[in-house]
Amino acid sequence: FQSYPFDQLSAAACRRVASNARLLSFRAGEVIQNEHELPNAVYCVVQGSMRVVGSIADQCPTIARIGVGETVGWEALLRRK
């Protein structure tokens, strides 16, 4: 919990988040989230890395590379109703 947005939380809030966390593993190339869907989870990378890719005319360019300690998905969760 040393990176944004978790570094903004109190110790008690971090404990609540941690109590609901699950450790997941993904294979190389596995799709975690489809491009046009809002995520239903926040993903924190604890080992390895992941790529955020786009789709442009049958290509999948890398938009970002997410490494250990970084998170993805929390922004879209904030936009949910």
Side-chain angles (χ1 to χ4, degrees):
F1 293 122
Q2 296 176 359
S3 65
Y4 190 82
F6 303 108
D7 61 351
Q8 306 297 306
L9 299 177
S10 67
C14 282
R15 285 191 296 275
R16 285 194 302 274
V17 170
S19 71
N20 289 299
R22 294 182 296 142
L23 184 61
L24 302 172
S25 295
F26 299 99
R27 295 182 312 273
E30 184 175 353
V31 175
I32 297 171
Q33 183 67 46
N34 289 319
E35 182 178 11
H36 298 292
E37 295 176 3
L38 287 177
N40 59 4
V42 176
Y43 296 96
C44 303
V45 178
V46 296
Q47 182 178 8
S49 65
M50 62 190 299
R51 288 187 316 141
V52 177
V53 297
S55 60
I56 301 172
D58 298 329
Q59 297 178 357
C60 295
T62 298
I63 296 170
R65 186 167 294 278
I66 311 301
V68 172
E70 295 180 287
T71 60
V72 293
W74 65 268
E75 300 97 331
L77 287 176
L78 295 176
R79 289 183 268 150
R80 285 185 174 266
K81 294 182 179 180

